[in-house]
Amino acid sequence: FELTQPPSVSVSPGQTARISCSGDGLPKQFAYWYQVKPGQAPVMVVFKDTERPSGIPDRISGSSLGATVTLTITGVRAEDEADYYCQSAFTNDSYVVFGGGTKLTVL
Amino acid sequence: QVQLVESGGGVVLPGTSLRLSCTASGFSFSDYPMHWVRQAPDKGLEWVAVLSYDGSDEFYADSVKGRFTISRDNSKKTLYLQMNSLKPDDTAVYYCARDPGPPGTLLWLLAFDIWGQGTMVTVSS
């Protein structure tokens, strides 16, 4: 079970960024998204495919269609520049997998 | 506020041991499963291990099985990672993280809703 993300996405401020994550197991298991900035604690930004944890702005959202989940950030700001990782798991087998990460660059 | 703080990282020789600690505050530590996740330099995130809220159940990534041991002291609100037979490939920032599964149950989600800032472990001769 692998998760595939694009290595990089670039957008201008105010535009919409979409980061995809594909994997055969995704239709059966939940996906989660994390924002990782250098020297900081990672932050969960999407929970169970589409839910937003407390404190995450509503311009960040998650969606799911078949074997692909997508993280969408509307009205991108300079502060959104970071690495984003999708993650899923088979809880019965205690198997955890991360995507390779996507570097979001705000031009 | 809800916080996790790791400590114990450093530079060690291959084949030696190191113990990491993670101290929790701002939530009921004893109710939640806890994880260790690592990130090697210029690499992605890699899950390492999980421990149930009461310490009765634990699982490891294949890459560390038999060498690393996860444990906890709920009275001290502290999670540990004992790392033995360290290899250069174990060089990474090690994060502790909370599992958002139902508190006080063995039903973990294998996800990570609260993270620490990490502690760096370098294994080099």
Side-chain angles (χ1 to χ4, degrees):
Chain A
F1 177 27
E2 294 184 349
L3 297 177
T4 302
Q5 300 179 233
S8 63
V9 168
S10 300
V11 297
S12 298
Q15 290 189 328
T16 296
R18 294 181 180 86
I19 301 173
S20 63
C21 172
S22 300
D24 290 342
L26 287 179
K28 300 180 282 290
Q29 307 297 333
F30 286 122
Y32 306 85
W33 288 93
Y34 304 92
Q35 178 191 71
V36 182
K37 296 181 180 180
Q40 298 186 21
V43 175
M44 175 187 276
V45 295
V46 170
F47 175 74
K48 289 186 177 179
D49 292 348
T50 61
E51 298 181 35
R52 250 188 318 273
S54 173
I56 302 302
D58 59 8
R59 57 193 187 82
I60 293 178
S61 63
S63 60
S64 176
L65 183 62
T68 298
V69 293
T70 302
L71 175 70
T72 301
I73 306 174
T74 59
V76 166
R77 305 175 180 179
E79 68 203 48
D80 297 323
E81 188 163 283
D83 293 328
Y84 291 86
Y85 291 86
C86 62
Q87 178 255 319
S88 189
F90 286 96
T91 53
N92 287 346
D93 300 321
S94 296
Y95 179 77
V96 179
V97 61
F98 283 97
T102 298
K103 182 175 182 60
L104 175 63
T105 299
V106 181
L107 300 170
Chain B
Q1 84 262 30
V2 176
Q3 194 173 12
L4 296 169
V5 178
E6 302 93 339
S7 60
V11 181
V12 296
L13 294 170
T16 61
S17 300
L18 198 63
R19 189 177 83 157
L20 306 182
S21 301
C22 166
T23 302
S25 59
F27 68 98
S28 182
F29 175 78
S30 61
D31 282 342
Y32 289 89
M34 295 294 297
H35 300 263
W36 288 98
V37 178
R38 68 184 181 182
Q39 185 173 26
D42 298 320
K43 301 290 187 183
L45 297 170
E46 178 190 17
W47 172 76
V48 173
V50 61
L51 183 64
S52 60
Y53 76 102
D54 61 357
S56 64
D57 233 355
E58 60 195 85
F59 289 93
Y60 299 88
D62 287 344
S63 58
V64 306
K65 202 174 296 182
R67 300 187 300 123
F68 289 12
T69 302
I70 188 171
S71 62
R72 66 193 297 161
D73 185 335
N74 284 342
S75 68
K76 295 181 179 179
K77 299 183 179 181
T78 302
L79 178 75
Y80 302 101
L81 184 67
Q82 178 66 43
M83 304 185 294
N84 298 332
S85 303
L86 282 161
K87 307 174 182 178
D89 283 351
D90 295 319
T91 294
V93 174
Y94 284 74
Y95 300 100
C96 65
R98 188 181 79 172
D99 191 294
T105 74
L106 295 175
L107 299 173
W108 47 45
L109 290 179
L110 298 181
F112 321 99
D113 67 340
I114 305 296
W115 298 65
Q117 289 200 312
T119 187
M120 182 71 203
V121 173
T122 302
V123 184
S124 174
S125 55

